[in-house]
Amino acid sequence: MTDFKRKDGVHLHVIKETKFKTVRMMVRFREEITPGNLGKRVLLSNLLETTNAIYPTGKAFSRRLSELFGASFTTGVAKKGKQHLLSLNMTVVNPALVDFDTLKAGVDFLRAVLFAPDVKDGAFNPFIFKREQTNLIHYLEAMNDDRAYYASRQLAQEFFKDPKQALPSVGTVELIERETPQAVFDYYQEMLKTNVIDIFVLGDVDEARVHKLFSDFDFAQNVENSSFKEDKAATQVLEHTDLFYEQELTERSVLTEAKAATQSILQLGYHLPVQYGDANYMTLQVLNGLLGGFAHSKLFKNVREKESLAYSISSTFDSFTGFLKIAAGIDAVNFEAARELIAAQLEALQEGDFSPADLEQTKTMLRNTYLVGQDSISNTIELEYVKALLPERYLPTEVFLSQLTAVSAEEVARLAQKLTLQVEYFMKGTVGMNEREESLAQ
Amino acid sequence: MKGRKVLHSKFYKKTGETLYTEILPNGLTVYYLPKADYNRTYGLFTTNFGSLDTTFIPKGASTFQTFPEGIAHFLEHKLFEKEDGDVMDKFSALGAQTNAFTSFSRTSYLFSTLENSYACTELLLDFVQSPYFTQENVRKEQGIIQQEIQMYQDDSDWRLFAGLLEKMFPASPLAADIAGTPATINAITADDLYKNYEVFYHPTNMNLFLTGPFQVEEMAAFVRENQATKCFEAQEVPLRQELSAAEPKSGEALALEVAMPKLALGLRGEDFLPQEARARMKYKIGNQIFLDLLFGRTSQRYEELYNQGLIDDSFGLSFELDERFHFAVFTGDTENPKKLSETLQEALKSYKIDRDFSEEHLQLLKREMLGDYFSSLNSLEYIASQFSSEIYEDLNFFDLPELLNELTLADIEKSAEQFIKAMKVVTFTIVPK
């Protein structure tokens, strides 16, 4: 892996890897979650994905990608702790497979997207803006059709006491509705100048060539701005408190709501006092694996397999926001039984009630998942990104694996005792299985 | 099928991949695709048996018998449970992940592992080939599957597609949910499961696909030996009842709690499919390209519909083809389902004069499909699943670039015309409550 620290502060990471048939390029913009900017960023992710001054129609845009042998260009937004990420992803097939310089053409395409937006009189094309704004609003409204997503949102909103942290990475209808073509374009200029920018390229490439191909990307970054400290030559420093979200323990809240759905959803949010890279971070990985991370986990084996109380059940955590969640799809009539049995699984872990075999199995699965992740382009890039964000906390492979092996049963039980239930959310489905909706003839 | 104790290999120069094939004495077809620079091994064991196969002639019988809907999927779940415990635990102990899925015509069982690839291969073969069904374990599964069905009931896009199938192929197994209904699965007995198993889970009706950093000769010897220790009675090809559906019912709608209306436009295939493998594969690819020419993202029509606000990013289309059925489907969120449906149908009728139905556009799409093909080789799962579902005699997924190259606009017009002349149009809509 070669890191190029450019004069303008933009960090170019090139990972040479010969096993894939494609080359992936990602340009990522980072800033602290700011409600006033959130709607703008999400709108940008849509606008940049549809048209620009060089490819002014969706058709021209798509045609160019087809011409580049089915190249794909997508954008996405996400949160990492207190930071908001806007990413542009370009994937091209290896030049050698199609006897065509798809790499250069891909970089040219990225240049067009970034530096030739469809703008007139200092604002985004109003027709395109309106269309994308409308589609985005519809999309956000439709997201709630996904009951599991809706339940997760309700839980997050109740759990995170800081309203900024409770906001979803895709923003809200209100935040998007109020934006204008002018305001979003003004922000875009700002974003290019002041966001922390990382570019990743992964594939069978020549590092020096890639560096050269990106050399004329002028982000007009102000090297005096707060995101680049000239004296830290090797890395851009991100303050710990600017990344990791923490909150105090609060009173437990219980929410129930009825929804016209066949399946009911139960979600539990726990306060998690562990951060990525902490001494007990690997213990957390093992704890989560034992609890509900794998098919041999307590939740899966006891709640689903043994008692048939849930079809889908799992536990997940976010070590950048201090949050652990258990989610289950259940039948409303089994609510009490499921809730109790789920609580009992965590209690069992707290009491050390799990076998050495289970512990070993969990470590094996974690190790295997980690190593198999090296077959994934996205996974590889995301790990490199964390390394760029937190160079001191990053766990290289040998460290990850040796710390994993060292995790003891006592440590797992002790950590389980530190989880505190903060929110219980129950979405009660009100549609019976035998009810068939009335069919309407149009 | 004659058994060949020899590994056939085919080298694909462009991508540098070599595919090995062998048909074992017991009739099982095995594919090996070595991937030296990948960390994990992926195995997929598939039977040609799915949700459509509810009526067939059981072993020793002479007439057709119909079994409850959802039985193939139920069997898939049950196969993991053995007398000495759950097979998932055994895979976990080897550090592997495992899963299975059932579709209309196929059921597949898989593992994905970093190490112990031989033990996992053995476990995959052994657990699928040793059924164990009891009334007790049948009863227990009913609760879990009921919840799976419920979960899908709440997915409005799933309801849209399922609703369309129901109206497009009424009174046929295609109209039923792959998992059945709580009522039908309650009717399944252990005896039913055995009856289905013994007919369809025979090596002659199955194939195994293995890919990863193993030595092919060694793995092939291992698989041969495993299969040689087992005894399978020679048997006839399963006699499945022909698929027949009632007349489609177009224009129906369902009210659900959704943010926007959803349209599903289906084109039920009524023409006779080419019998010869190459011709059939070209027919399928040809019709896929045909739809992309007229309605894909590179078409003028897509641009217009998108700008008019009649479609958004949720708009999608596909052409599905199986031995027993074929159809095209368009789905998407739209404020005006009626107008969208009419516009799409008009475009289909007048495709010959459509400016997007051109040589230039075809060449563009060919480039795209070729690139997509190469990109998809990154994914072991994708390659394996293509192999489990897209096999036409000796032709397979790796033959795509060659077939693509051969396809002309005249070929595409021929298969499109054949399809369109006979097709039956069906619409189904979901409307907000």
Side-chain angles (χ1 to χ4, degrees):
Chain A
M1 152 95 157
T2 312
D3 274 353
F4 296 96
K5 193 58 174 189
R6 294 156 42 116
K7 275 203 311 272
D8 64 358
V10 171
H11 202 158
L12 171 65
H13 318 252
V14 186
I15 306 159
K16 188 176 168 75
E17 176 56 73
T18 54
K19 71 182 175 192
F20 301 117
K21 306 281 190 267
T22 53
V23 178
R24 167 83 62 91
M25 299 180 269
M26 177 176 86
V27 182
R28 177 168 279 175
F29 296 86
R30 173 171 67 74
E31 71 175 36
E32 190 167 318
I33 299 168
T34 314
N37 291 347
L38 200 51
K40 297 174 172 74
R41 289 170 77 82
V42 184
L43 276 161
L44 276 170
S45 77
N46 263 39
L47 289 164
L48 297 178
E49 205 177 29
T50 37
T51 58
N52 51 59
I54 300 187
Y55 305 104
T57 63
K59 181 176 156 189
F61 194 95
S62 297
R63 286 191 150 235
R64 181 56 183 161
L65 291 171
S66 289
E67 245 166 46
L68 299 184
F69 294 91
S72 85
F73 177 77
T74 57
T75 61
V77 291
K79 289 189 295 182
K80 195 138 201 101
K82 290 158 93 168
Q83 301 283 314
H84 190 267
L85 312 174
L86 167 57
S87 311
L88 278 59
N89 288 293
M90 181 92 196
T91 301
V92 296
V93 85
N94 279 355
L97 288 173
V98 291
D99 305 315
F100 181 91
D101 193 351
T102 49
L103 177 62
K104 175 167 192 305
V107 175
D108 288 342
F109 191 86
L110 269 176
R111 191 186 301 106
V113 168
L114 285 165
F115 303 111
D118 186 359
V119 159
K120 199 175 150 181
D121 300 328
F124 274 107
N125 178 325
F127 171 75
I128 306 256
F129 184 88
K130 186 88 188 111
R131 186 190 70 193
E132 291 309 311
Q133 188 179 39
T134 306
N135 283 352
L136 191 51
I137 289 170
H138 287 165
Y139 177 75
L140 285 185
E141 285 166 350
M143 275 178 100
N144 292 324
D145 292 349
D146 177 343
R147 298 311 187 196
Y149 175 79
Y150 175 80
S152 292
R153 275 276 89 226
Q154 298 297 90
L155 186 81
Q157 234 144 333
E158 184 63 24
F159 182 92
F160 291 105
K161 295 310 164 195
D162 180 348
K164 271 197 311 185
Q165 199 62 45
L167 284 168
S169 58
V170 291
T172 63
V173 173
E174 294 72 36
L175 289 174
I176 285 162
E177 248 167 8
R178 68 188 197 195
E179 293 301 341
T180 67
Q182 173 87 55
V184 177
F185 182 65
D186 285 343
Y187 172 74
Y188 182 56
Q189 304 295 94
E190 263 308 293
M191 191 182 94
L192 289 172
K193 277 207 284 266
T194 63
N195 265 215
V196 177
I197 302 174
D198 287 271
I199 302 177
F200 289 86
V201 178
L202 189 160
D204 192 2
V205 296
D206 174 81
E207 293 98 320
R209 182 169 191 238
V210 172
H211 188 209
K212 184 139 191 290
L213 285 171
F214 278 98
S215 60
D216 65 356
F217 276 49
D218 183 12
F219 292 96
Q221 289 248 309
N222 179 0
V223 298
E224 258 101 59
N225 75 30
S226 60
S227 54
F228 177 54
K229 291 190 166 50
E230 220 169 339
D231 54 322
K232 299 253 179 203
T235 57
Q236 288 176 301
V237 175
L238 176 64
E239 293 299 329
H240 186 103
T241 48
D242 288 338
L243 178 62
F244 290 101
Y245 174 81
E246 285 176 87
Q247 71 182 23
E248 298 295 307
L249 286 174
T250 63
E251 285 293 306
R252 185 188 303 190
S253 56
V254 177
L255 297 176
T256 308
E257 95 180 273
K259 271 276 170 192
T262 323
Q263 196 188 48
S264 297
I265 295 176
L266 172 61
Q267 293 199 356
L268 304 167
Y270 294 82
H271 177 269
L272 169 70
V274 181
Q275 291 174 340
Y276 176 83
D278 276 356
N280 56 4
Y281 174 72
M282 290 315 299
T283 309
L284 170 62
Q285 288 273 11
V286 176
L287 167 60
N288 184 67
L290 275 167
L291 179 60
F294 298 107
H296 69 275
S297 69
K298 289 236 177 239
L299 288 173
F300 197 88
K301 287 231 80 67
N302 296 324
V303 183
R304 174 179 144 145
E305 293 299 299
K306 253 207 208 130
E307 300 299 325
S308 307
L309 285 176
Y311 170 69
S312 58
I313 183 160
S314 62
S315 64
T316 50
F317 66 86
D318 185 338
S319 61
F320 289 87
T321 57
F323 176 64
L324 184 142
K325 175 172 93 177
I326 294 176
I330 62 174
D331 215 335
V333 59
N334 292 326
F335 170 63
E336 286 299 339
R339 197 202 282 115
E340 264 173 54
L341 194 57
I342 288 171
Q345 304 318 305
L346 181 57
E347 266 155 45
L349 289 178
Q350 290 166 339
E351 285 156 18
D353 180 12
F354 51 92
S355 66
D358 281 341
L359 182 64
E360 273 322 296
Q361 185 128 286
T362 305
K363 291 183 183 180
T364 303
M365 294 303 291
L366 283 166
R367 174 174 145 269
N368 291 357
T369 305
Y370 180 87
L371 291 171
V372 159
Q374 292 168 350
D375 287 347
S376 154
I377 294 171
S378 299
N379 193 73
T380 305
I381 290 179
E382 290 306 329
L383 279 180
E384 286 300 331
Y385 189 69
V386 171
K387 185 164 152 199
L389 280 181
L390 301 163
E392 297 93 37
R393 285 187 163 246
Y394 175 72
L395 303 167
T397 304
E398 328 77 57
V399 177
F400 185 96
L401 295 177
S402 65
Q403 282 190 13
L404 175 59
T405 309
V407 173
S408 72
E410 296 72 43
E411 283 167 336
V412 171
R414 255 184 285 134
L415 183 57
Q417 289 158 25
K418 295 205 183 114
L419 292 176
T420 316
L421 182 62
Q422 300 284 260
V423 184
E424 179 189 295
Y425 171 79
F426 178 49
M427 189 195 86
K428 186 171 178 180
T430 56
V431 176
M433 258 314 294
N434 296 319
E435 265 179 54
R436 284 265 144 209
E437 306 297 336
E438 297 239 314
S439 203
L440 312 165
Q442 249 185 348
Chain B
M1 282 267 190
K2 280 192 265 193
R4 292 178 272 184
K5 208 177 176 178
V6 97
L7 268 181
H8 271 229
S9 74
K10 190 164 176 189
F11 175 61
Y12 296 87
K13 198 167 74 167
K14 206 71 202 196
T15 58
E17 319 262 13
T18 307
L19 177 73
Y20 296 84
T21 314
E22 181 172 344
I23 300 177
L24 301 181
N26 66 12
L28 180 69
T29 305
V30 194
Y31 300 98
Y32 303 96
L33 181 71
K35 280 267 199 188
D37 43 15
Y38 273 67
N39 284 356
R40 69 186 156 121
T41 302
Y42 189 87
L44 189 72
F45 196 17
T46 303
T47 171
N48 293 321
F49 168 58
S51 68
L52 299 185
D53 299 303
T54 42
T55 304
F56 60 91
I57 300 183
K59 210 162 162 181
S62 53
T63 53
F64 283 106
Q65 192 181 335
T66 301
F67 291 87
E69 284 165 6
I71 192 165
H73 173 255
F74 199 96
L75 207 167
E76 175 228 298
H77 270 240
K78 272 334 318 163
L79 217 45
F80 281 88
E81 198 171 330
K82 304 296 182 205
E83 208 166 356
D84 61 352
D86 195 327
V87 170
M88 270 189 157
D89 292 342
K90 298 202 173 127
F91 276 111
S92 294
L94 294 169
Q97 310 224 308
T98 179
N99 210 340
F101 49 88
T102 310
S103 66
F104 294 128
S105 301
R106 264 163 282 277
T107 308
S108 295
Y109 302 84
L110 64 97
F111 72 80
S112 170
T113 191
L114 183 73
E115 48 196 9
N116 300 320
S117 54
Y118 284 85
C120 285
T121 300
E122 181 175 56
L123 183 56
L124 179 65
L125 287 166
D126 288 350
F127 100 81
V128 173
Q129 290 179 329
S130 49
Y132 171 74
F133 311 125
T134 67
Q135 263 323 107
E136 181 53 48
N137 73 22
V138 161
R139 201 176 11 250
K140 217 179 48 66
E141 201 67 39
Q142 282 158 354
I144 297 178
I145 294 186
Q146 276 202 40
Q147 293 199 41
E148 187 180 345
I149 295 172
Q150 278 175 315
M151 193 177 82
Y152 280 100
Q153 286 296 305
D154 291 335
D155 181 339
S156 52
D157 289 322
W158 175 262
R159 294 293 292 272
L160 181 71
F161 187 69
L164 177 71
L165 281 178
E166 206 188 333
K167 308 304 171 199
M168 205 160 47
F169 298 94
S172 82
L174 266 172
D177 193 314
I178 290 174
T181 68
T184 64
I185 65 179
N186 274 349
I188 295 173
T189 66
D191 192 56
D192 287 341
L193 293 178
Y194 277 114
K195 283 215 177 94
N196 278 254
Y197 182 91
E198 63 192 4
V199 168
F200 294 105
Y201 280 75
H202 190 275
T204 49
N205 196 40
M206 300 181 73
N207 75 69
L208 174 70
F209 189 93
L210 287 164
T211 178
F214 50 77
Q215 291 300 316
V216 179
E217 295 291 347
E218 273 173 41
M219 183 60 89
F222 183 79
V223 171
R224 254 180 239 130
E225 208 185 293
N226 173 286
Q227 291 298 289
T229 62
K230 299 175 184 176
C231 206
F232 293 96
E233 261 177 58
Q235 76 172 32
E236 301 292 318
V237 167
L239 289 159
R240 311 164 203 249
Q241 186 173 72
E242 296 254 323
L243 193 81
S244 72
E247 277 306 293
K249 298 183 215 157
S250 185
E252 303 206 4
L254 173 67
L256 288 179
E257 225 182 67
V258 289
M260 255 176 90
K262 293 174 188 285
L263 170 74
L265 171 69
L267 311 174
R268 180 170 130 175
E270 298 286 326
D271 54 312
F272 289 105
L273 296 175
Q275 288 307 299
E276 192 266 319
R278 199 173 195 83
R280 179 173 295 197
M281 230 176 145
K282 280 170 103 163
Y283 174 91
K284 179 174 184 183
I285 298 169
N287 274 334
Q288 279 168 335
I289 293 179
F290 170 69
L291 293 175
D292 278 328
L293 282 167
L294 294 190
F295 306 106
R297 287 192 178 224
T298 51
S299 71
Q300 185 58 30
R301 179 146 293 96
Y302 184 96
E303 176 78 16
E304 283 164 13
L305 289 173
Y306 192 82
N307 283 336
Q308 285 165 26
L310 263 182
I311 62 173
D312 62 19
D313 287 313
S314 68
F315 181 71
L317 54 89
S318 69
F319 185 75
E320 306 295 333
L321 186 142
D322 183 273
E323 280 237 25
R324 292 174 281 185
F325 64 85
H326 59 294
F327 60 88
V329 57
F330 302 81
T331 55
D333 293 353
T334 177
E335 293 289 22
N336 197 338
K338 204 165 154 66
K339 180 147 186 242
L340 177 59
S341 170
E342 280 161 13
T343 310
L344 294 173
Q345 291 182 57
E346 260 313 303
L348 282 163
K349 288 202 198 98
S350 57
Y351 78 87
K352 288 189 193 164
I353 53 167
D354 194 314
R355 57 188 267 191
D356 278 318
F357 192 72
S358 73
E359 190 60 49
E360 180 267 334
H361 197 191
L362 173 62
Q363 290 315 315
L364 185 69
L365 288 184
K366 280 191 181 188
R367 272 169 88 109
E368 181 185 317
M369 284 179 80
L370 187 65
D372 282 348
Y373 164 78
F374 288 127
S375 302
S376 72
L377 295 175
N378 281 343
S379 164
L380 302 185
E381 292 89 341
Y382 185 83
I383 300 170
S385 93
Q386 286 300 300
F387 261 85
S388 74
S389 61
E390 298 275 348
I391 307 169
Y392 302 89
E393 288 152 35
D394 286 334
L395 283 183
N396 60 60
F397 171 67
F398 282 95
D399 294 303
L400 180 71
E402 198 183 297
L403 285 165
L404 205 54
N405 200 35
E406 280 174 24
L407 216 52
T408 65
L409 196 64
D411 289 333
I412 291 172
E413 180 162 348
K414 185 155 158 260
S415 39
E417 189 61 26
Q418 180 184 321
F419 178 74
I420 289 181
K421 266 219 305 259
M423 75 185 183
K424 293 198 169 129
V425 180
V426 187
T427 63
F428 180 73
T429 318
I430 287 187
V431 293
K433 257 196 172 142

